[in-house]
Amino acid sequence: MQEVGRKLVVEPLLSSALCGALLHAAGEDVSPLIAGVTIFAFAHEEGFDPFAVPATKAVEAGGNYSLTGRKIAVRHADLAHQIIVTASQEGVAGVYLVDAQAPGLVLDSFRMIDGASAATIELSDVPARRIGGGDLLLAAIERGLVALAAEAVGIIAAVNAETFTYLGTRKQFGVPLASFQALQHRAADMYAAAEEARALTERVIDAIDTDASDRSALASAVKALVDDVARTIGHEAVQMHGGMGVSDELDISHFMRRLAAIRAELGSVDLHRARFAGLGADVVRETTFRAEVRAFVRANLPEDIARKGALGLEISKEDYVCWQKILRDKGWFATGWPVEHGGAGWSIDRQLIFLQESALNNAPMIIPYGVNMIGPVLQRFGSAEQREAYLPGILSSDTWWCQGYSEPNSGSDLASLRTTAVREGDHYVVNGTKMWTTEAHWADMMHCLVRTDRDVKPQRGISMLLIDMNSPGMEVRPIVTIDGQHHTNQLFLDNVRVPVNNLVGEEGQGWTIAKFLLSHERVAIADTGPKLRLLQNIKAMFAQLPASPSRVRLGDKLAGAEIELLTLCELEQNYVSKWAEGASRDGPEASVLKIRSTEILQCLSEIALEIGGPLGGAHDPHDLHLDPSGQFTPSQLASFKGHQYLYGRCWSIFGGTNEIQRNLIARALNVG
């Protein structure tokens, strides 16, 4: 079906395939259909809900059946020799076979938005043969949903490819369209959306093939998601092609029309969101290892820390150290480190499961600056003396690290950093300012990017130093963020002397080391675990709301967010598995995960405020430091959600803003 979409195949392939599946499941002979001798049409739709019991009635008399009712938008009915019709008998759905020339059957033919033929069918005591019950019908509908999604994924891939090429070749005002950043960012969003549609479609195909218990919910999830994605990408592609995009001459207009027809088939976005919410699905897939992690966390995470995590209270440094030492004793702290350096040597698939399941069970995050950042750097680029000096303290959580990268006028653009390190004998003398240095007020050491050469290309003049935070000339100044908390800092380095032995690698190698460091953080870049926990909390809050029109609207929004998070988890697993198999980590995948994960987090935090109603405006920074064993007022509980909303705005900024991530995606697509 993906290839059908890519090539805009117009014959009644999907209709034939669905009819063939129904006939085969019913034990009927499908050889005439396969040979193309007999064309079948599938007549089911009667309104907005394809899962409703058909209003078309079946009446039995002496073992014979007759059908009376109306079917709308039956694709290719005017071509069919035989029509499979759904009908109900005493409120129970069934599937019936009707001859297209049978008496009492009247077709009113018309054209669909994609150019295909269709018809409204009126049935009045039309003779029919029953071939199966409602179980056949449900299976056919769900397979139809997945097939439509797969076709849309193929169309989207073709649309994106044509659009990105067009942006690079079409000139306006003497420059390619791809040189305009606004179009680059829209192209990046089109790529990210297409990746999400592909990943969720593959998940649902697996669920259908394996007869998974949540296949019905996933079938609705993929229809809702892909319809939204198809609408956005179809419209964007036409707009970016300008006048040619609305011409009949260009494939783009035909692709958009077919996507519009797909959205009209087998239920709307709203219907499928509501159905998904009613059925429920496993956002993450259960494995033996996931169960092992869950059991360990629940048995070993101290109760006070677990309650802080569940409520959203601030986690102290002592809490982090306590939990990390528990993990170290289990051998589960440095999960990505090689065994020879004291790590667990886990695959990144296992690391992902560990991070998700730990967060789902209210464990604090692993503070990354030591174990996940400088640790792997020292193993790859550090000297034997550096590894011996620093790796044990990282493993034991006795040495706390921070990261000195950003500067007042050098955030995402690290190549423009100005902090200098001038060598004087056995020391570097460091001068400059670092910004947004998270947890520097807790840190013993900092891995810091500095400029050691101003006369070469900016990236080549950067080096990495390990700096003792207690060095003379070091000042840590708090920055209180939008949530009223002290997470981050500004650092002032005034003639700070750093031993030459604290240079990591060679002078000028800092840019290479920084890229290596970032590649090792990609397993956690989507950080889906805390979002899964937040979703659980929001769903529990939502369940307490009384029935009202507002509740219905919020329920639809929440279902949409859950589908997006489900999709993000699937895309994250997809990418992590590719990386585990040796695929390059230099593509746009990490940027896609960064953008979508932060946007979904922000969406969820906004829904939490909406559910709170008037209390959605409550937020007192002091509430975040209350005793977790106490009882909390409604306003205090609301304050925790206010903190998540406010601090959530930071996530799309630090670690490379989402705008920078879109630039990186566009560059990878050769758009820009």
Side-chain angles (χ1 to χ4, degrees):
M1 289 308 300
Q2 286 189 22
E3 290 307 306
V4 166
R6 288 176 188 272
K7 300 298 188 292
L8 276 178
V9 176
V10 295
E11 68 264 20
L13 189 144
L14 177 55
S15 177
S16 297
L18 287 178
C19 290
L22 276 166
L23 292 167
H24 179 70
E28 299 284 328
D29 180 16
V30 295
S31 57
L33 183 149
I34 293 171
V37 174
T38 304
I39 297 175
F40 288 80
F42 181 44
H44 171 62
E45 305 238 40
E46 298 179 343
F48 291 104
D49 187 356
F51 301 99
V53 175
T56 299
K57 301 299 182 186
V59 176
E60 180 185 9
N64 297 314
Y65 291 88
S66 62
L67 308 181
T68 298
R70 190 171 190 251
K71 299 292 183 180
I72 61 174
V74 181
R75 294 179 68 86
H76 315 296
D78 57 323
L79 307 177
H81 304 105
Q82 298 281 317
I83 302 174
I84 294 179
V85 182
T86 60
S88 63
Q89 183 183 12
E90 298 180 353
V92 178
V95 182
Y96 300 82
L97 191 59
V98 171
D99 190 288
Q101 303 300 318
L105 188 151
V106 178
L107 297 182
D108 177 18
S109 299
F110 55 89
R111 297 188 71 80
M112 300 290 284
I113 196 170
D114 60 354
S117 65
T120 298
I121 300 180
E122 301 285 352
L123 304 109
S124 180
D125 291 326
V126 175
R129 180 164 64 84
R130 189 177 190 277
I131 62 172
D135 54 338
L136 289 183
L137 174 59
L138 180 61
I141 293 172
E142 291 175 351
R143 285 180 174 271
L145 293 171
V146 179
L148 288 171
E151 182 183 356
V153 166
I155 293 173
I156 289 165
V159 165
N160 277 355
E162 290 194 18
T163 303
F164 300 158
T165 299
Y166 183 79
L167 292 177
T169 56
R170 174 74 164 90
K171 291 188 176 182
Q172 203 166 70
F173 307 113
V175 296
L177 290 175
S179 65
F180 296 103
Q181 190 175 67
L183 296 184
Q184 294 172 12
H185 286 193
R186 286 160 69 178
D189 286 338
M190 290 167 69
Y191 174 81
E195 285 290 274
E196 289 182 304
R198 175 191 58 78
L200 187 57
T201 300
E202 290 175 359
R203 164 79 186 270
V204 183
I205 289 169
D206 287 343
I208 294 290
D209 281 345
T210 59
D211 199 27
S213 59
D214 57 355
R215 64 188 181 281
S216 294
L218 290 171
S220 278
V222 79
K223 184 62 161 64
L225 179 99
V226 171
D227 278 2
D228 268 344
V229 168
R231 176 185 178 278
T232 298
I233 290 180
H235 292 183
E236 286 281 51
V238 168
Q239 183 69 25
M240 290 184 182
H241 277 83
M244 290 300 293
V246 294
S247 71
D248 189 63
E249 185 174 326
L250 212 64
D251 283 349
I252 289 297
S253 67
H254 297 279
F255 281 130
M256 195 202 89
R257 289 164 59 189
R258 177 59 190 147
L259 290 173
I262 288 173
R263 294 201 303 275
E265 290 189 59
L266 295 179
S268 68
V269 169
D270 290 339
L271 179 142
H272 283 290
R273 280 182 185 152
R275 183 171 182 261
F276 170 81
L279 291 171
D282 298 323
V283 178
V284 293
R285 288 183 258 194
E286 184 68 4
T287 65
T288 301
F289 180 65
R290 185 178 291 278
E292 182 183 353
V293 173
R294 183 186 308 126
F296 176 79
V297 175
R298 290 179 179 178
N300 292 276
L301 179 63
E303 185 177 347
D304 61 327
I305 301 177
R307 184 154 170 78
K308 284 184 178 182
L311 290 167
L313 293 168
E314 278 289 283
I315 306 296
S316 69
K317 179 181 179 180
E318 292 71 26
D319 294 332
Y320 285 116
V321 171
C322 172
W323 177 235
Q324 291 182 180
K325 284 182 176 292
I326 291 171
L327 292 174
R328 168 58 178 161
D329 291 343
K330 173 70 171 174
W332 282 8
F333 178 48
T335 59
W337 287 20
V339 174
E340 60 266 27
H341 289 301
W346 285 353
S347 68
I348 56 176
D349 286 290
R350 278 203 159 200
Q351 293 174 51
L352 174 60
I353 290 172
F354 171 77
L355 292 173
Q356 286 180 336
E357 204 58 42
S358 295
L360 274 167
N361 288 279
N362 304 313
M365 67 178 288
I366 301 298
I367 299 301
Y369 308 108
V371 67
N372 293 334
M373 290 186 174
I374 194 61
V377 164
L378 293 177
Q379 292 164 31
R380 172 66 175 82
F381 298 95
S383 65
E385 292 76 13
Q386 288 171 344
R387 289 192 290 271
E388 183 179 353
Y390 297 116
L391 292 186
I394 294 172
L395 278 173
S396 64
S397 294
D398 291 329
T399 304
W400 209 257
W401 289 78
C402 65
Q403 172 182 271
Y405 282 15
S406 296
E407 298 184 2
N409 293 300
S410 176
S412 299
D413 181 15
L414 286 176
S416 66
L417 66 84
R418 297 181 180 179
T419 296
T420 60
V422 177
R423 183 163 180 174
E424 292 184 0
D426 292 335
H427 288 80
Y428 288 99
V429 179
V430 182
N431 286 278
T433 303
K434 292 295 179 180
M435 284 285 286
W436 315 120
T437 313
T438 302
E439 289 153 10
H441 54 299
W442 291 350
D444 306 296
M445 295 290 297
M446 172 172 61
H447 48 96
C448 185
L449 292 181
V450 295
R451 186 163 300 284
T452 49
D453 190 340
R454 296 181 178 180
D455 299 325
V456 296
K457 183 179 177 180
Q459 288 89 340
R460 295 181 60 188
I462 296 173
S463 302
M464 177 177 281
L465 293 178
L466 309 177
I467 302 179
D468 189 324
M469 293 295 290
N470 293 312
S471 301
M474 178 78 73
E475 179 187 353
V476 179
R477 188 175 298 174
I479 298 174
V480 176
T481 47
I482 191 171
D483 58 336
Q485 304 298 308
H486 175 202
H487 308 283
T488 192
N489 306 272
Q490 184 172 9
L491 305 186
F492 297 91
L493 297 96
D494 182 12
N495 289 323
V496 174
R497 298 182 68 81
V498 181
V500 169
N501 289 341
N502 282 23
L503 172 70
V504 181
E506 302 174 355
E507 280 196 12
Q509 203 175 10
W511 187 258
T512 299
I513 293 172
K515 290 195 296 183
F516 171 86
L517 183 152
L518 292 173
S519 74
H520 274 256
E521 267 294 284
R522 291 189 175 184
V523 68
I525 196 165
D527 201 25
T528 48
K531 297 167 185 67
L532 291 166
R533 181 174 65 199
L534 178 57
L535 175 66
Q536 285 183 341
N537 293 341
I538 292 173
K539 291 175 76 172
M541 293 166 56
F542 179 78
Q544 302 302 313
L545 290 179
S548 70
S550 295
R551 189 184 192 279
V552 173
R553 180 186 60 80
L554 274 172
D556 181 67
K557 184 181 288 190
L558 179 56
E562 184 173 358
I563 290 171
E564 290 186 358
L565 181 53
L566 163 69
T567 304
L568 175 66
C569 289
E570 197 58 34
L571 188 59
E572 177 186 43
Q573 181 63 64
N574 186 288
Y575 287 161
V576 165
S577 295
K578 284 171 55 180
W579 293 331
E581 293 168 0
S584 171
R585 302 188 187 190
D586 296 330
E589 293 86 357
S591 293
V592 170
L593 293 178
K594 170 66 162 57
I595 291 170
R596 292 301 294 131
S597 65
T598 55
E599 290 176 343
I600 290 168
L601 170 67
Q602 291 166 351
C603 174
L604 286 169
S605 66
E606 289 178 33
I607 292 173
L609 294 194
E610 286 192 64
I611 292 174
L615 284 173
H619 178 248
D620 184 340
H622 298 290
D623 290 342
L624 274 293
H625 302 275
L626 294 171
D627 184 346
S629 64
Q631 297 296 312
F632 301 100
T633 67
S635 65
Q636 289 169 335
L637 292 171
S639 185
F640 306 151
K641 297 298 182 289
H643 165 258
Q644 290 169 335
Y645 165 72
L646 291 171
Y647 195 59
R649 303 315 306 176
C650 302
W651 288 93
S652 54
I653 296 172
F654 59 55
T657 68
N658 282 11
E659 288 69 34
I660 294 296
Q661 303 301 332
R662 287 181 170 92
N663 289 347
L664 295 173
I665 295 170
R667 192 178 306 156
L669 301 173
N670 293 318
V671 177

